[in-house]
Each structure stands twice: as structure tokens, then as C-alpha cells.
Amino acid sequence: VKFGDKRAVEPLCAALKDTDKGVRLWAAEALGVIGDKRAVEPLCAALKDTDRGVRLWAAETLGKIGDKRAVEPLCAALKDTDKDVRRCAAEVLGKIGDKRAVEPLLAAFEDVDWEVWLAVLEALGNVGDARASHALIAALKKSPRAAQALVKIGSPAVEPLCVFLETTEPGGGTAGRLEAAEALIQLYKSGAIGESNKRMILAQRQRITGMKIHIDQEETIHHDTRMGDCWNDTTKHTDYGTALDFPL
């Protein structure tokens, strides 16, 4: 039997229960090469293996197969004691994109490991469920990647993004404002958010351009102070670089 031959699926699934952890790990990896859906349930069981390497490879392989039967076991793996297993489980759930994962992913958004947290953020964006909007808005203050996750959610993200701009202080050092503005413009340009959402975004024009002016001023002041001079250029990028597509 050649490596990758589907005739090996059943023996490899049986090998996932071998007493030697090296054999179990190799079996999980080999099943990923084959990608046969008959391996889904044995791999889901392997997510509870005593060895973290086997659990990690089981999650990786389930991601390659992409079967929705793995969603609930992968949601349980978000609580694994090993951070790499949690990270991988989040990544695979994002790849599968099943909305059953939303609530477990939102719970996992409290993970203290940065890489796990980022994987959960990306997964919430990929699943694209409106329930994640407010958590991702809060995440803007921690990572600019939250903005792109909100763009993937689409129309349901427009109002929370607008509220974020309205309720955070321009020029007050609040993280995420520029990213929120960029996300709103992307959503506006997408043409897939409906007229009411477009009007909501257009109502934020002054905040968007005013914020950009302030950022340019800060950059100019910081640069010129080091040169022994300080002046403001308020004419830079006042249309936010979007005049042709985003009416201001």
C-alpha cells in the first residue's frame, strides 16, 4: 500500500489507538495526507489523546478534511490544556465556518495566550456571524486585525463600527479608530451592505476625515519636533484617499 492510498484509512484509524504515542501521531499525520472522511470520527476521538502532539495532529488533519462533524469536538478542544491545540482548534473552526462554533469561540476570546486569541479573532471573522460583532469591536483596541474580521461579517458590523467612532474620543489616543474607519470604507465600497447601511456610514464622513487630519497632524508634529521645529499641515489627505469612491 502506497503512502496516501485510501486502502490505508482503516488500518491508520486503528493505529490511532496504538499504545505507542509515536505510532498514533504518525497515523494522525498520515490520515491528513489521505484526507478521507472515514477518518473524521476516529480523529475526533484522538482530540482527547493523552499526548498533546497527537491531539495537535488530529486537529490539523480535521482541518484538512473539513468535515462539519468535527465542529463540536473542536469546540471542546478550545479548552485544551495545550495552547497550540487550542490555537489549531480555533483555526480549523474558522476554516470550516460552521455557526455552531460562534458561542464557544466567543468564550475562547478570553484566552490569555496571544496566539490563541488571534486565532480566535480570525476564526470569528471567517465564520462571519453577527453575534461576534461587539466582541470584535472591543478587540479593535488590542489588534488592527479585528477590523478585517468585522469587514468579513459585513452589514451587521456597520452599526457597531459607527457607534465605536461616535463614542471614542478623536485625538485621545484611543486605539482602533483608524482601523474602524478603514473597515467602514471597505464595507461602503463593497456594494453589499444595502442603502440604509451606506447612509449610516456616510453620516460618519466628518469623523472619518477629521480623525485622519488629526493623525496626520500628530505625525507631522512628532517628525518636525525632532527637527527643532513644530508646525501643522492640516491639508494632507483630507479626503482620506477615497474621494472617487467614497463621497465626502
Side-chain angles (χ1 to χ4, degrees), residues 1-239:
V1 180
K2 294 181 180 180
F3 191 67
D5 193 317
K6 291 194 174 186
R7 289 176 293 173
V9 171
E10 291 185 9
L12 286 169
C13 287
L16 289 173
K17 298 179 180 179
D18 196 275
T19 54
D20 187 326
K21 68 179 182 181
V23 172
R24 300 197 304 275
L25 194 151
W26 174 81
E29 182 181 0
L31 286 166
V33 175
I34 298 171
D36 193 291
K37 291 189 175 183
R38 287 176 292 169
V40 171
E41 290 184 8
L43 286 165
C44 287
L47 288 173
K48 297 180 180 179
D49 195 281
T50 55
D51 182 75
R52 53 87 60 191
V54 175
R55 299 197 303 275
L56 182 58
W57 267 109
E60 292 269 9
T61 297
L62 286 167
K64 292 177 181 178
I65 296 173
D67 193 289
K68 291 188 176 183
R69 287 176 291 169
V71 170
E72 291 184 8
L74 285 165
C75 286
L78 291 172
K79 299 179 180 179
D80 197 278
T81 55
D82 185 84
K83 65 179 183 179
D84 290 325
V85 175
R86 299 198 303 275
R87 173 191 51 75
C88 186
E91 291 172 350
V92 174
L93 286 167
K95 181 179 179 180
I96 294 173
D98 193 290
K99 294 187 184 298
R100 288 176 293 168
V102 173
E103 295 298 336
L105 283 167
L106 286 171
F109 219 14
E110 301 297 322
D111 201 294
V112 296
D113 183 84
W114 180 245
E115 290 185 0
V116 176
W117 187 88
L118 285 175
V120 172
L121 183 155
E122 299 281 356
L124 286 168
N126 289 334
V127 174
D129 191 280
R131 288 172 288 173
S133 296
H134 291 288
L136 290 170
I137 288 290
L140 280 169
K141 296 179 180 180
K142 292 177 66 177
S143 172
R145 296 189 194 181
Q148 289 308 305
L150 285 158
V151 170
K152 291 177 182 178
I153 287 175
S155 293
V158 171
E159 184 175 358
L161 280 165
C162 289
V163 171
F164 180 79
L165 286 185
E166 291 170 358
T167 56
T168 53
E169 289 296 326
T174 302
R177 285 181 58 81
L178 179 59
E179 290 77 14
E182 290 171 341
L184 284 170
I185 292 173
Q186 281 185 255
L187 287 165
Y188 183 91
K189 289 181 176 181
S190 72
I193 60 171
E195 290 303 315
S196 62
N197 281 315
K198 282 187 176 182
R199 288 193 295 271
M200 200 180 302
I201 294 172
L202 289 176
Q204 302 299 320
R205 287 176 295 184
Q206 187 174 357
R207 287 188 176 88
I208 291 171
T209 57
M211 176 183 55
K212 181 58 180 171
I213 292 169
H214 178 85
I215 290 169
D216 287 336
Q217 287 176 332
E218 280 192 338
E219 290 175 351
T220 302
I221 291 169
H222 178 70
H223 173 75
D224 292 327
T225 298
R226 288 181 299 175
M227 298 297 291
D229 191 17
C230 182
W231 57 280
N232 296 348
D233 178 2
T234 60
T235 63
K236 295 171 60 181
H237 306 300
T238 54
D239 65 352

